[in-house]
Amino acid sequence: MTVPASQSQALDAVIIGAGFTGLYQLWSLRKLGLRVRVIDAASGVGGTWYWNCYPGARTDSPSNIYQYWFSDELLEDWNWSQRYVGQAESERYFNHVADRFDLRRDISFNTRVEAATWNEATGRWRIRTNSGEALDSQFLITALGPLSAPVVPPFKGHDSFKGKLVHTARWPREGIDLKGKRVGVIGTGATGIQVIQTIAPEVGHLSVFQRTANYAVPMINPKYSDADRAAIRARYPQTREAIWTTFVGFDEQGETRPFFSLSREERHATLERLWADGSLRIWVAGFMEIFFDPAASAEISDFVRDKIRARIRDPKVAARLVPQDHGFGTRRVPLENGYFEVYNRDNVDLIDLYETPIEYITANGIRTSKGEIALDVIILATGFDAGTGGLTAIDIRGRGGRSLREEWKQEVRTTMGLQIHGYPNLFTTSAPYAPAAAFCNAPTCLQHQVQWISSCIDYLRRHGRKLIEPSAETEQRWLAHHDELADLTLVAKTKSWYTGGNIEGKQNRLLSYIGGVPAYREACEKVAQHDYEGFEVA
Ligand code: NA7
């Protein structure tokens, strides 16, 4: 769908992305009476849940908190099938939302934003798409999601492979027939784990190329009956409250008893109870010391290591699968379903890339230091340029022609992950230094950001103002506060996509604000309550 030039001239806001954030942002701004256009490169809504249609893709947050809260009718008429839903069901939900609220008429699909330039003279953004269209808008809101720029490692010989090579986030919508095939999966993060456990029984032979071993917690994923759904609905008022008051936007508070105030037996009994929940509770609603205290981290990590070891028959394979170089919860903890047992199968090999590195990709497979492994399909579950990759893929030019891409090569800076000094009227959801960038139940944090942005735009309009931009001092203060908290954590000292450590040469700084959801919300609300103090409002 293209936007006629005459219509494009009259826009109040352009939103890039029609995923979780973009759809809600559109709904919110429409309610304020704004003329809005959403642009998305995909052919449908859903963002992450549109693109990541690889086998086994599933949420690791329970469905009762992985949803919108803005409409009671929506809460009433949508029925989740189970605790953790698969990609297809998530995508159906976003399609339902788009239809229910008639959102599609303001969305341009199959369109990619290539550039956005701030026009000093008009005080508006000029946005250029790959179809050659130019949009003119007062506000620009990026709703790209923190994980939308896939990373394809620069393996030599990449183009010579005669089989199929695919990144999980670009999985073809028509699927890939893997039955009986020789398949290689590179990467054992949350995505790799889901793919591996799903395809292992179906493929002829599976070679898993693992760099860093990962912890994972067994998922308990019951299907819901009508009675379950009624009970979950009855708790929605409490759930809706709870997500705003917990550290990472889940609906359960963590342990309040300090880890070492308990006896060893009590500590282990508590860990067993948390483990038995079959959720991320042991990580995000367990002992907070996981994130700060090396001694507690060591004990909790040993508890999880024993759980993993117990499931793998060959002790040599177990030794490779048990993480030794980081503490439990200092990287993203995935949920799994039979993942570790995969390595007890005869048709699966684990290649430890520290022992046996990949040298290059050949026409027929992957050449490691020990020889060639013949493959029909190579699956790259190699992750994303998190937080920044979606934004730097667009040529964004702020005041005086400054380039975000170039500036962020030097240092990535934002104010509360919501705005950037030098880029007036640009709002960035899921950008670095907000919890939404990584360390949060994404729907909680993204909905908060949408609400903050909508209130801010509403404020400007009610006060006859046209422009908002954080001052350099405000931005510096937020960064200093962010760094001060980050430095206290073990997370910031661990290499992962949380710190940019998954990408060669990327700035090493914790992406996510780690003061917790309540503190972040308070900081944002304080700014709004004080008439956007620290921001230039003109
Ligand atoms: P992750 O968690 O970044 O995992 C990527 C995996 O790919 C991880 O095991 C990486 O090893 C591995 N990787 C990346 N580059 C290479 C190269 N060059 N060679 C070998 N192995 C490599 O991404 P996911 O998609 O699994 O998950 C992202 C988020 O999506 C997840 O946290 C959830 O929030 C949903 P490494 O660990 O860097 O040694």
Side-chain angles (χ1 to χ4, degrees):
M1 181 181 179
T2 53
V3 185
S6 54
Q7 192 185 333
S8 72
Q9 294 306 313
L11 290 169
D12 297 313
V14 165
I15 299 167
I16 312 175
F20 194 101
T21 318
L23 294 182
Y24 181 31
Q25 190 71 74
L26 168 59
W27 181 88
S28 304
L29 294 183
R30 241 197 217 168
K31 242 181 131 213
L32 293 177
L34 269 70
R35 287 153 301 181
V36 188
R37 172 115 330 240
V38 180
I39 316 266
D40 200 301
S43 65
V45 296
T48 286
W49 301 105
Y50 170 94
W51 291 105
N52 287 272
C53 55
Y54 60 81
R58 190 172 290 281
T59 53
D60 279 349
S61 289
S63 46
N64 69 322
I65 58 163
Y66 205 97
Q67 62 178 340
Y68 293 114
W69 294 102
F70 67 83
S71 159
D72 287 340
E73 295 75 26
L74 177 61
L75 286 167
E76 206 44 53
D77 68 19
W78 182 261
N79 290 311
W80 293 112
S81 69
Q82 62 187 137
R83 189 183 192 193
Y84 299 102
V85 302
Q87 174 270 335
E89 185 166 343
S90 290
E91 198 183 350
R92 275 202 300 282
Y93 174 68
F94 292 109
N95 276 288
H96 171 74
V97 171
D99 292 335
R100 198 185 197 297
F101 299 101
D102 188 23
L103 299 178
R104 285 178 213 278
R105 65 184 157 88
D106 288 326
I107 307 176
S108 300
F109 292 111
N110 301 307
T111 308
R112 187 174 286 281
V113 171
E114 290 185 334
T117 306
W118 174 251
N119 183 332
E120 209 83 64
T122 59
R124 296 171 68 84
W125 284 94
R126 186 89 177 152
I127 295 131
R128 184 169 48 76
T129 72
N130 62 344
S131 59
E133 220 177 333
L135 304 164
D136 183 79
S137 174
Q138 185 182 2
F139 300 104
L140 175 62
I141 302 167
T142 59
L144 301 161
L147 298 161
S148 55
V151 171
V152 174
F155 293 121
K156 281 197 206 123
H158 190 286
D159 295 332
S160 63
F161 185 56
K162 292 213 191 83
K164 191 148 188 78
L165 187 148
V166 62
H167 191 286
T168 45
R170 291 293 175 269
W171 200 264
R173 297 194 51 91
E174 65 280 10
I176 302 176
D177 182 10
L178 298 174
K179 202 171 280 161
K181 300 262 166 65
R182 297 165 302 175
V183 178
V185 176
I186 305 177
T188 52
T191 303
I193 285 177
Q194 291 185 336
V195 174
I196 291 161
Q197 69 193 15
T198 306
I199 67 173
E202 173 193 347
V203 301
H205 191 272
L206 179 61
S207 304
V208 176
F209 297 85
Q210 171 190 276
R211 197 160 61 182
T212 308
N214 244 330
Y215 300 94
V217 177
M219 169 188 278
I220 296 178
N221 193 12
K223 296 260 191 290
Y224 288 154
S225 65
D226 286 344
D228 294 328
R229 276 188 283 271
I232 290 166
R233 273 209 183 89
R235 284 200 307 276
Y236 275 165
Q238 292 93 308
T239 310
R240 198 198 291 245
E241 278 304 304
I243 55 164
W244 297 123
T245 57
T246 57
F247 192 71
V248 290
F250 277 65
D251 57 345
E252 308 213 40
Q253 295 293 347
E255 260 296 331
T256 48
R257 299 169 300 171
F259 190 67
F260 287 113
S261 71
L262 305 177
S263 69
R264 193 175 167 81
E265 287 67 36
E266 284 171 326
R267 297 199 291 271
H268 276 237
T270 309
L271 290 173
E272 286 290 1
R273 187 170 46 75
L274 291 165
W275 187 261
D277 195 55
S279 68
L280 293 179
R281 228 179 132 189
I282 188 164
W283 176 37
V284 296
F287 294 104
M288 290 294 285
E289 286 90 339
I290 283 178
F291 306 116
F292 305 100
D293 178 344
S297 166
E299 189 172 318
I300 295 166
S301 301
D302 277 343
F303 171 87
V304 181
R305 289 182 187 121
D306 287 345
K307 295 281 186 201
I308 297 174
R309 256 185 227 108
R311 291 167 60 185
I312 301 151
R313 273 205 298 271
D314 181 342
K316 276 203 227 114
V317 176
R320 292 190 186 117
L321 284 167
V322 171
Q324 298 294 351
D325 59 355
H326 64 282
F328 175 76
T330 58
R331 294 158 56 106
R332 163 67 152 76
V333 176
L335 293 180
E336 55 82 23
N337 187 358
Y339 173 68
F340 292 106
E341 285 77 8
V342 159
Y343 298 96
N344 296 332
R345 297 178 62 94
D346 292 337
N347 71 331
V348 177
D349 285 329
L350 176 66
I351 296 105
D352 182 330
L353 296 178
Y354 288 118
E355 287 168 17
T356 316
I358 293 174
E359 289 184 342
Y360 50 91
I361 294 181
T362 67
N364 302 313
I366 292 179
R367 164 88 202 191
T368 71
S369 58
K370 285 193 184 149
E372 186 183 66
I373 297 173
L375 299 166
D376 304 308
V377 181
I378 298 175
I379 299 174
L380 300 176
T382 43
F384 301 87
D385 182 354
T388 55
L391 279 156
T392 54
I394 303 167
D395 185 9
I396 298 177
R397 304 274 170 166
R399 280 192 195 280
R402 62 208 289 170
S403 154
L404 189 72
R405 195 182 279 164
E406 292 308 314
E407 288 193 328
W408 277 16
K409 275 187 196 157
Q410 306 307 315
E411 188 188 9
V412 177
R413 300 173 67 87
T414 77
T415 302
M416 304 190 302
L418 281 163
Q419 280 217 287
I420 305 165
H421 173 67
Y423 301 82
N425 288 5
L426 169 67
F427 294 97
T428 52
T429 62
S430 69
Y433 320 134
F439 221 70
C440 183
N441 173 42
T444 303
C445 290
L446 294 171
Q447 285 177 94
H448 169 255
Q449 291 200 317
V450 168
Q451 289 160 10
W452 191 89
I453 292 167
S454 305
S455 302
C456 177
I457 291 176
D458 186 37
Y459 173 94
L460 297 177
R461 288 162 68 90
R462 281 189 290 105
H463 291 78
R465 307 297 182 90
K466 296 206 155 23
L467 180 150
I468 183 160
E469 178 193 350
S471 71
E473 295 72 40
T474 300
E475 193 148 284
Q476 188 50 41
R477 260 201 309 279
W478 182 257
L479 285 167
H481 169 59
H482 168 85
D483 288 347
E484 195 183 350
L485 294 180
D487 286 348
L488 300 173
T489 70
L490 301 172
V491 182
K493 297 178 182 71
T494 308
K495 203 171 159 189
S496 78
W497 67 261
Y498 282 174
T499 56
N502 65 324
I503 296 186
E504 192 75 29
K506 189 168 174 177
Q507 169 193 279
N508 181 11
R509 192 185 219 165
L510 192 61
L511 278 178
S512 183
Y513 176 70
I514 201 152
V517 171
Y520 177 74
R521 283 182 64 227
E522 205 182 307
C524 293
E525 296 336 317
K526 202 167 145 202
V527 167
Q529 279 158 14
H530 290 84
D531 295 317
Y532 299 90
E533 197 181 2
F535 289 61
E536 185 198 341
V537 177

